[in-house]
Each structure stands twice: as C-alpha cells, then as structure tokens.
C-alpha cells in the first residue's frame, strides 16, 4: 500500500522568497506522484504530476517538483512566492491500479 | 472547469438522521470518488466507483454507503449520521483509474449535531 508523509504542516514565508514543501512517499511498486493546491473554500486542483520520464516536473503558477527515487521524495519548489500562493498544498501518490492517497497537507502562508 | 456539481453545499443535521450527498458530473468520466477532508488528516477516500453499479471501499468506508445508477450521478449516504462524520466531503472524477488527474467538486460541508 502507498502512503505519503508531508513533513511540514505549516510553512510561513515572506513574499518573493523561495519555498520548498517536502513530501516523502512509501511504496513497493511503481508510483505516480502529484501535487494539488486548495485555495480557501474551494476544491483541489492539480499543480503538477510525475508519471514517468524526466524527474524534474514543471507545473502551473511557476511551481516545480523533483522526483527522487533513491530518497523516495517529491518536494515542491517555487523560486519566488506571491501572496496569491497562500493555500494548502497536498502531495498524493497512486499506483497503477489504485486510487490516489493524499498526504495531510501543508499550509503555505505568504507574508507581505 | 470540469462539470462537477455537489449538493447540498451545506447541511446541518442531527445525530441519527440519514443524509445523502449527491455528486453530478457532465464529463461522462468513468471514475468517481468520495473523499472527506478533516483538519490534520488531509483527504481520505471513502468509496469510489469505476462504472455504473460498480463501487469499492476506500480507507474510511465504515458508516457510509454509495450508489451509482447512472454514469453522471454518485450518491453518498450516511444511514445514521454521527458527530464523527462532521466533515467536508469532496467528490472527484477521473477518466482513468490511474494515473489520471482527478477533478474535484466544490465540496459539501456537513455538520452533525
């Protein structure tokens, strides 16, 4: 069975500073990895996904993530955050025939 | 935006009463899911469906049942609501089982008193 650990429940960061949101996964089989974002009072939307190929994945709104198989990690990064990036971010993992399993989320607060 | 509508969006009910949440899609996607979101727990899968009348349990299925009689509708029923089922419920759809992208509804906030 797959599982996901998001290492930080809350991350405060100043506007225009870089940010990294950490995600580690556990799986004994091939995995597909995702980052979703949830803005206040909304559903989740996909930021980016890793299915295969290049380990550096670029998503929407300037976010990117790197798949590291040896460290079983899929950390999300952005070089310069904006106030509008304030949201909750969820890492998720699935296998070939299994539904998505989500982490507990990381609340990113961007401070002006 | 994916055509997903959840109803009701907000509901307050009392312990022991039955509750049904509805998810309606206009995308003709095969897979539909019900998740619940609770602080400190993220999203947890309750049930999912991979076709009309084909459903399976998720991580937290106890106390919940589902039905899918049409491609576009996926119903989540709490036969006898308890306070521990106070949560925000999200419906999601996808074209394929994995590794497809999930599209989420806006959520239904349920409060059980």
């Amino acid at each position: 069975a797959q599982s996901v650990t998001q290492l930080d429940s809350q991350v405060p960061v100043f506007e225009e500073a870089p940010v990294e949101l950490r995600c580690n996964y556990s799986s004994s089989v091939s995995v597909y990895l995702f980052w979703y974002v949830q803005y206040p009072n909304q559903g989740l939307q996909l930021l980016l996904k890793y299915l295969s190929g290049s380990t550096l994945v670029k998503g929407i709104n300037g976010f990117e993530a790197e798949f590291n198989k040896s460290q079983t990690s899929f950390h999300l990064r952005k070089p310069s955050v904006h106030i509008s990036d304030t949201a909750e971010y969820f890492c998720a993992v699935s296998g070939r025939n299994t539904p998505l399993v989500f982490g507990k989320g990381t609340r990113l607060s961007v401070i002006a | 935006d994916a055509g997903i509508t959840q109803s009701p969006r907000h509901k307050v009910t009392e312990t022991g009463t039955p509750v049904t949440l509805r998810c309606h899609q206009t995308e003709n996607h095969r897979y539909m899911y019900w998740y619940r979101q609770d602080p400190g727990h993220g999203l947890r899968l309750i049930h999912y469906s991979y076709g009309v009348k084909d459903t399976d349990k998720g991580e937290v299925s106890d106390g919940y049942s589902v039905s899918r009689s049409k491609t576009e509708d996926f119903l989540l029923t709490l036969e006898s609501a308890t306070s521990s089922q106070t949560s925000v419920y999200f419906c999601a759809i996808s074209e394929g089982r994995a590794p497809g992208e999930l599209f989420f509804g806006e959520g239904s906030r349920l409060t059980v008193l």
Side-chain angles (χ1 to χ4, degrees):
Chain A
Q2 293 102 4
S3 67
V4 172
T5 302
Q6 291 186 243
L7 297 163
D8 306 293
S9 60
Q10 297 187 57
V11 173
V13 62
F14 286 104
E15 193 174 18
E16 298 183 8
V19 69
E20 178 179 82
L21 305 184
R22 297 179 295 167
C23 172
N24 285 92
Y25 68 91
S26 172
S27 176
S28 59
V29 295
S30 297
V31 296
Y32 308 104
L33 293 156
F34 305 79
W35 276 98
Y36 281 81
V37 61
Q38 184 181 33
Y39 299 106
N41 299 313
Q42 295 185 23
L44 281 73
Q45 57 183 278
L46 183 67
L47 264 183
L48 49 79
K49 59 186 176 184
Y50 171 79
L51 304 181
S52 64
S54 173
T55 57
L56 183 62
V57 180
K58 294 189 183 298
I60 62 172
N61 301 337
F63 284 93
E64 63 181 32
E66 186 160 17
F67 171 59
N68 188 319
K69 188 174 182 179
S70 63
Q71 297 187 6
T72 60
S73 68
F74 191 56
H75 300 332
L76 180 71
R77 302 184 182 100
K78 186 170 183 178
S80 175
V81 296
H82 303 288
I83 293 290
S84 59
D85 293 322
T86 294
E88 190 152 20
Y89 293 79
F90 293 92
C91 184
V93 63
S94 73
R96 184 170 296 278
N97 291 303
T98 59
L100 276 182
V101 174
F102 287 86
K104 295 183 178 181
T106 297
R107 188 171 298 277
L108 175 64
S109 298
V110 180
I111 305 161
Chain B
D1 290 341
I4 309 170
T5 305
Q6 291 186 229
S7 60
R9 294 289 313 281
H10 302 271
K11 186 172 181 65
V12 179
T13 191
E14 294 187 350
T15 298
T17 60
V19 176
T20 296
L21 305 180
R22 178 181 183 238
C23 178
H24 178 78
Q25 62 147 329
T26 58
E27 306 296 320
N28 200 35
H29 283 357
R30 179 181 176 190
Y31 293 91
M32 299 185 75
Y33 307 82
W34 278 108
Y35 286 88
R36 61 177 289 175
Q37 182 178 23
D38 304 288
H41 291 276
L43 278 86
R44 292 177 292 175
L45 182 65
I46 305 171
H47 282 280
Y48 65 101
S49 169
Y50 45 96
V52 173
K53 298 186 179 179
D54 292 322
T55 65
D56 207 349
K57 295 179 179 180
E59 176 188 358
V60 290
S61 60
D62 287 349
Y64 301 94
S65 62
V66 290
S67 65
R68 192 168 178 200
S69 58
K70 299 184 290 184
T71 299
E72 58 266 35
D73 290 325
F74 192 34
L75 304 180
L76 177 70
T77 298
L78 292 65
E79 299 290 347
S80 178
T82 67
S83 58
S84 64
Q85 294 176 312
T86 292
S87 186
V88 181
Y89 292 85
F90 284 97
C91 175
I93 64 174
S94 70
E95 284 188 278
R97 182 168 189 159
E101 172 183 350
L102 293 188
F103 298 94
F104 282 83
E106 296 284 305
S108 295
R109 183 175 296 275
L110 175 67
T111 302
V112 184
L113 301 176

